[in-house]
Amino acid sequence: MRTLQSCMGCQYRKLLGLLLFYIIASVISWHLIKLISRMALYGECPVNATWVREISELLERPSCNLDEPQKNKMLAHCKITMDPNSQTVRMMRSLPVLTPWLAPIIWEGTFDTKLLNSQFKPDLQVGLTVFAVKKYVQFLQNFLLSAEEHFMVGRKVHYYIFTDQPKKIPTIPLHHGRSAHILEIPAHQPWQEISMYRMEALSMMAKHRFYNEVQYLVCVDVDMVFNDHVGVEILGELVATLHPGYFTMPRYSLPYEHRPSSLAYISPAEGDFYYMGAIFAGTVAQIYQLTYACNRAIIADKSKGIEAVWHDESHLNRYLVRHKPTKVLSPEYMWDVYMLHGDLLKKKRFLAVTKDHEEIRS
């Protein structure tokens, strides 16, 4: 009897051991399959048990709580491109579609154009502001022609053209319901002054004119061309655009203003993304608040002999630290052919014109 019980105990132990082995193997397999099945590339990483475990744990943590130094230590050796013939694990580098405060990040495939159009009234009025001053006036014709082809097609659009040379503004045939308004401004000598003056001019016009004529404003640079559909998906209360040169970079490497003496200062503990000054949008009220705040900060800095590292763009980023955008545009909406990682974009909707910056700014 005692021998029979011993044998039965052995059988139970064997069965228990097999069950535990099966559970452990299943868990390990599930983690490996999940790891390898991430199809978007973060880099070319050799198969290594330690790296598989560390990177797997990294990807499971919420992106807004990542420890940036640890993340970059783990992935610093990975390349953006990979040799398809090499024996490597393809790591996932997902392009974010939500900010940590749950604002959408707009990429191709994240929105339904037909559905969005149905949510905006047919009589919606959109303002597109652009500054064509000094030598930059030469870019205006191609800018307007491309906007007529791709920007808010079928919608009512007001082109607000700020210029110091109204006689040089080209006459472009516009579609029904679209109009151009020439707003004369004084010419400032240094290009940085022109860039920063934009905030003052926009805040004044938003307060005294724009609110009577349009519901939304889209503020862009003139040395650009629309290259693909840009529609109501970019409209929102306050809309910012990821800078194409920094959307893959860790926060600590972003080119914020790092001098506490400037009102554009962003401390190492602050900041989410680095936003481009070449395109931002929002309701007239929100654009007024943004441009007014930035203009006041620029004036205060100037009174102390300070100019932010990236001029009005630095102040824009400071404002957006405290006033989170309700929508963020991906680099599809602001691209330069010289930027890296263009293969990550399905569309390149708004493109910088190739030019000699020194000659144009002189």
Side-chain angles (χ1 to χ4, degrees), residues 38 40 103 113 356:
R38 295 176 181 268
T113 302
D356 183 337

Side-chain angles (χ1 to χ4, degrees), residues 31-92:
H31 277 291
L32 287 174
I33 291 170
K34 185 177 180 181
L35 180 68
I36 296 171
S37 66
R38 295 176 181 268
M39 297 304 295
L41 178 64
Y42 201 163
E44 184 176 1
C45 307
V47 179
N48 175 290
T50 301
W51 282 100
V52 166
R53 184 181 68 256
E54 290 181 340
I55 297 174
S56 181
E57 291 173 355
L58 173 69
L59 293 171
E60 290 302 316
R61 281 189 277 161
S63 59
C64 56
N65 293 324
L66 292 181
D67 182 289
E68 292 289 347
Q70 182 182 4
K71 173 182 174 182
N72 285 280
K73 175 179 176 292
M74 291 179 182
L75 301 176
H77 74 297
C78 298
K79 300 177 182 177
I80 292 300
T81 58
M82 77 176 283
D83 178 1
N85 299 316
S86 64
Q87 299 300 311
T88 59
V89 174
R90 298 188 68 180
M91 297 305 302
M92 176 73 173

Side-chain angles (χ1 to χ4, degrees), residues 295-343:
N295 180 52
R296 299 304 297 176
I298 289 169
I299 292 172
D301 269 9
K302 196 170 183 179
S303 70
K304 297 183 291 184
I306 300 171
E307 187 172 296
V309 60
W310 289 111
H311 323 296
D312 57 322
E313 186 174 86
S314 295
H315 290 280
L316 172 75
N317 275 272
R318 172 68 258 180
Y319 181 87
L320 294 171
V321 168
R322 295 291 302 275
H323 306 83
K324 304 295 187 189
T326 58
K327 182 179 288 186
V328 175
L329 304 182
S330 72
E332 292 178 359
Y333 293 88
M334 175 59 242
W335 193 252
D336 191 310
V337 294
Y338 295 106
M339 294 294 179
L340 299 175
H341 318 319
D343 57 314

Side-chain angles (χ1 to χ4, degrees), residues 234-291:
I234 72 168
L235 301 181
E237 282 291 309
L238 182 59
V239 183
T241 305
L242 298 180
H243 194 295
Y246 299 98
F247 76 106
T248 62
M249 304 297 287
R251 187 180 64 185
Y252 67 80
S253 67
L254 300 179
Y256 295 137
E257 173 57 69
H258 297 302
R259 294 171 297 172
S261 55
S262 170
L263 288 178
Y265 171 66
I266 296 176
S267 73
E270 296 178 302
D272 307 292
F273 306 100
Y274 188 76
Y275 302 108
M276 189 72 179
I279 173 170
F280 54 93
T283 62
V284 176
Q286 288 289 341
I287 294 299
Y288 169 70
Q289 292 178 36
L290 182 154
T291 54

Side-chain angles (χ1 to χ4, degrees), residues 224-237:
M224 309 286 298
V225 290
F226 291 94
N227 187 58
D228 208 314
H229 162 88
V230 176
V232 295
E233 76 278 0
I234 72 168
L235 301 181
E237 282 291 309

Side-chain angles (χ1 to χ4, degrees), residues 190-203:
W191 69 269
Q192 298 96 325
E193 288 287 333
I194 296 171
S195 176
M196 292 191 289
Y197 174 74
R198 177 177 59 162
M199 293 298 184
E200 178 182 348
L202 287 173
S203 65

